[in-house]
Amino acid sequence: MWRGCCRLILIWFKKRERERKGEMLSGSLPLSWRSSCSSSNSSSGRQAGGQRAVGSEAHRGGAGPRCSSNGMGLPATDRCSAQLDTTLQLLRIEEGMDAATAPKQAWPPWCPLLFLLLLPGGSGGSCPAVCDCTSQPRAVLCAHRRLEAVPGGLPLDTELLDLSGNRLWGLQRGMLSRLGLLQELDLSYNQLSTLEPGAFHGLQNLLTLRLQGNRLRILGPGVFSGLSALTLLDLRLNQIVLFLDGAFGELGSLQQLEVGDNHLVFVAPGAFAGLAKLSTLTLERCNLSTVPGLALTRLPALVALRLRELDIGRLPAGALQGLRQLTELEIHHWPSLEALDPGSLVGLNLSSLAITRCNLSSVPFQALHHLSFLRVLDLSQNPISAIPARRLTPLVRLQELRLSGACLTSIAAHAFHGLTAFHLLDVADNALQTLEETAFPSPDKLVTLRLSGNPLTCDCRLLWLLRLRRHLDFGTSPPACAGPQHVQGKNLREFSDILPPGHFTCKPALIRKSGPRWVIAEEGGNAIFSCSGDGDPAPTVSWMRPQGAWLGRAGRVRVLEDGTLEIRSVRLRDRGAYVCVVSNVAGNDSLRTWLEVTQVEPPNGTLSNSNITTPGIPGPFFLDSRGVAMVLAVGFLPFLTSVTLCFGLIALWSKGKGRVKHHMTFDFVAPRPSGDKNSGGNRVTAKLF
């Protein structure tokens, strides 16, 4: 540093002296110069020797003298000033001037000032011996020096102080208060377990504070007092258990807060109070079991929220409703999250949403339908198997959809219709066999398409992709064919513009097998129609009602997975024609069948429907003539048998008693009159037959 200053000044003076060639120099150095660059003159002999030495050095290197020690113990500034006087005298001799008789000219008054400005300014402190102060301007680097305390003697103009990777165990109040110009402080990877209130007092210009990798457990109120200008706070890799109310109340200018890899189990509702300018919050790898919605509502300026690797199984409805400015939401690695509540994103106006590495089995359309300003949707690494048609239409501004590493087997036709700005699709590493052109509203507007890692069948359905292969960005790995066998393993960029015969072709669908074309079923019974077809690619089987409506896979009348039409509990209105349609991308074929329904009539002419019953109540009972005859026959035979048995028993009883008498004799005596005592009654003998 001293050597450079001296050389610059000497070069300037030498040039100045040469410009003044021929002029007489008179006078002596001003008092201000002598006071700043005073030195004790040596004897004339020594001075001459010094002049010769300096002159020889100037001739050799063309540079000024070195500001090295002359063995007299002079300060560096005095030594440099003495050599300046010596060099000036040498210059005068070289130019043919008589230093003894020539008058001296006063130096301009700004020369001493220039010299003082070029000298290193006072920093109010020297660099500690264990630190590095030369790698960066106004930076003191003391990383990995095994320090157990903050070193003393730090320069007052320090703007960057790196104390990371040491053994600091505590930070007391006022320890760094002298560093009022400090802007970045790195205390990461130490052994800090406590921070006293006011530990950062006096650091009113500090912008960045890094405390990750320590042993902090609880952050109470007042710890960050005095950090009114702080914009970034990193608290990762600590042992923080909870955030108390008002823990960050003094950080009114904080914009980014990193909280990850902690034991955090609870965030008080008022923990984030006072963070009026916080725009980015990261909560990751903690022990939170619920989203701290009440605490998050205290962040009116929050723009980006990242919730990563948390054991949370549900995002409740309205949990983020108060974050009106939130535009970026990231939910990453929630293994227990299987679905989003329909109202979980109510009140948000997101432009970027990422729900990755969770357990979603389908795209949460109901939770997303109101996000009309959404531009980026990332659902990668979820077990999502299909993207149905036209369900993304409410997301009119969607530009990018990422579904890599999922379980996609199909993307329906018209899946992305209504998305006029759609230009990026990432479905790499899935199970797609094809991707049809009809899925996109404007395939020519597609810019980026990631399809690698899918078992694609290179037939006529991928001709559009072959046509656009030179304009699409496939990334580092273009899509490759998994079949047919003659193109297996070949990526799309390897095909020429003129295809050989048999490449990227399809066979139209044809009906090969079908059941009876006329089916008769009783009312209340079941009816089954079978139909199948062949083609390349394999065709799909669909059925139409007689009125022309397509039949679905649920209900009383449904189409089974193998293409069979099943009608359960046949009704009269089911009679009529049914059309089987076998179709693929190359064509279709159809077959008409007929269902006839027979009606069941009771004896009294009343129609009955055996399918309409009430649970727990038996249906009506009807008898025909045959049934009546059977009932009478079954009842008469026991009656006749009982009568015959009675007569037989009477006959046996009569025979056992002997002859039966059919008359009886008895005597009758008439009573006497009441007045005649002597008269008696006459005896009468009578026989009764």
Side-chain angles (χ1 to χ4, degrees), residues 648-660:
L649 292 174
I650 293 173
L652 291 175
W653 180 79
S654 299
K655 186 177 180 180
K657 290 293 183 177
R659 187 177 179 179
V660 180

Side-chain angles (χ1 to χ4, degrees), residues 470-536:
R470 303 189 188 279
H471 306 286
L472 286 175
D473 177 17
F474 291 125
T476 57
S477 179
C481 300
Q485 187 174 1
H486 58 276
V487 294
Q488 188 174 7
K490 195 174 182 180
N491 69 64
L492 295 185
R493 294 193 184 278
E494 297 178 5
F495 290 95
S496 61
D497 294 335
I498 301 176
L499 295 174
H503 286 64
F504 289 86
T505 58
C506 296
K507 295 180 181 179
L510 293 175
I511 295 177
R512 297 299 184 187
K513 297 180 181 180
S514 64
R517 300 184 62 182
W518 187 281
V519 176
I520 301 176
E522 291 186 358
E523 187 179 8
N526 295 335
I528 293 178
F529 298 90
S530 60
C531 180
S532 62
D534 294 333
D536 185 18

Side-chain angles (χ1 to χ4, degrees), residues 72-277:
M72 299 176 63
L74 296 175
T77 305
D78 294 341
R79 294 197 303 269
C80 190
S81 301
Q83 294 187 15
L84 285 175
D85 291 338
T86 306
T87 305
L88 290 177
Q89 294 180 10
L90 178 61
L91 290 174
R92 295 190 188 101
I93 294 173
E94 290 178 350
E95 299 296 337
M97 296 182 179
D98 188 3
T101 58
K104 295 182 179 180
Q105 181 179 354
W107 292 100
W110 46 267
C111 290
L113 180 61
L114 176 64
F115 176 71
L116 293 176
L117 290 176
L118 290 175
L119 291 178
S123 62
S126 60
C127 181
V130 295
C131 302
D132 178 14
C133 302
T134 60
S135 300
Q136 301 180 30
R138 297 192 178 185
V140 180
L141 308 179
C142 310
H144 305 285
R145 305 300 171 92
R146 298 183 179 180
L147 299 176
E148 296 183 357
V150 178
L154 296 172
L156 299 182
D157 60 348
T158 302
E159 295 181 355
L160 168 61
L161 178 58
D162 187 358
L163 294 170
S164 61
N166 286 290
R167 302 174 181 176
L168 304 181
W169 58 271
L171 197 62
Q172 287 74 34
R173 177 182 177 90
M175 182 174 289
L176 301 171
S177 59
R178 297 173 61 251
L179 305 178
L181 300 179
L182 193 63
Q183 296 183 8
E184 183 174 351
L185 176 59
D186 192 346
L187 295 170
S188 57
Y189 300 101
N190 278 277
Q191 300 179 12
L192 297 174
S193 58
T194 58
L195 293 175
E196 296 183 1
F200 304 103
H201 182 73
L203 304 181
Q204 64 275 5
N205 292 316
L206 192 66
L207 301 177
T208 301
L209 177 58
R210 303 186 185 277
L211 292 169
Q212 72 267 27
N214 283 281
R215 301 177 181 178
L216 300 176
R217 291 181 175 85
I218 298 178
L219 296 178
V223 171
F224 301 108
S225 61
L227 301 178
S228 57
L230 193 69
T231 59
L232 186 149
L233 177 59
D234 193 343
L235 295 173
R236 294 173 298 167
L237 292 167
N238 277 278
Q239 302 174 9
I240 301 174
V241 178
L242 53 89
F243 286 148
L244 301 176
D245 289 332
F248 307 98
E250 297 85 0
L251 304 179
S253 300
L254 193 66
Q255 299 179 10
Q256 183 176 351
L257 177 60
E258 300 287 337
V259 181
D261 295 283
N262 279 278
H263 304 325
L264 193 63
V265 297
F266 177 71
V267 179
F272 298 141
L275 299 178
K277 296 183 179 180

